[in-house]
Amino acid sequence: MQGLVRARMIHRAEGEEVALYRFFDEAEKLLYVGISKDPMHRWEEHRAKSWWSQIATYEVVWYASRAEARGAEKEAMRSESPTDNIHSAPGHSAHWKAALGSPEARAARKLRGSKRPAKKEQPDG
């Protein structure tokens, strides 16, 4: 049967595990690499991206920790060159390090009283 896809169900993380996922187009070109404890939820956030409609297949690999998944993600971006990860674009890292380390950015974080933006609370459904 043409078009039949069999895959294991995607689940939300149990414990400390984190998923690394890859999206591919019809030609099996890597579009995007990301990590998440809840891939299905994260994918909903990706739906507005221009490349979303190009996805033909995906791959999910679970890692025991965020550090392991982050390392695998960085290596995938470095060695596999996904077309739509802005983090893998030349100069991206230097740009953000400079922007986040600027006096203006440090002052804004100090005014907020934190180093990172607060996470939004999700209403109980």
Side-chain angles (χ1 to χ4, degrees):
M1 174 181 253
Q2 189 173 3
L4 176 66
V5 176
R6 288 188 179 204
R8 293 183 0 171
M9 291 296 292
I10 305 296
H11 63 279
R12 190 178 192 298
E14 296 175 6
E16 298 300 311
E17 68 181 356
V18 174
L20 176 130
Y21 55 90
R22 292 173 172 89
F23 295 133
F24 301 90
D25 68 9
E26 286 287 337
E28 297 188 25
K29 178 177 65 174
L30 181 61
L31 298 172
Y32 189 86
V33 163
I35 63 172
S36 178
K37 289 182 74 75
D38 188 350
M40 299 289 280
H41 177 77
R42 181 69 177 119
W43 296 356
E44 287 297 319
E45 296 171 353
H46 288 313
R47 282 185 178 277
K49 303 293 184 181
S50 61
W51 46 263
W52 182 258
S53 63
Q54 298 172 37
I55 298 170
T57 60
Y58 64 87
E59 174 183 287
V60 177
V61 179
W62 288 92
Y63 288 87
S65 69
R66 180 163 293 278
E68 285 182 52
R70 176 72 66 204
E73 179 188 38
K74 285 181 180 180
E75 176 58 24
M77 284 194 268
R78 185 191 67 74
S79 64
E80 299 171 40
S81 302
T83 60
D84 294 291
N85 278 86
I86 61 167
H87 296 292
S88 63
H92 174 76
S93 209
H95 165 80
W96 283 107
K97 284 180 184 175
L100 293 174
S102 72
E104 295 83 4
R106 286 194 302 271
R109 286 193 303 272
K110 187 174 183 179
L111 286 174
R112 285 195 313 266
S114 69
K115 293 184 179 180
R116 301 176 77 178
K119 289 185 178 180
K120 292 182 180 178
E121 293 289 325
Q122 295 294 324
D124 291 337

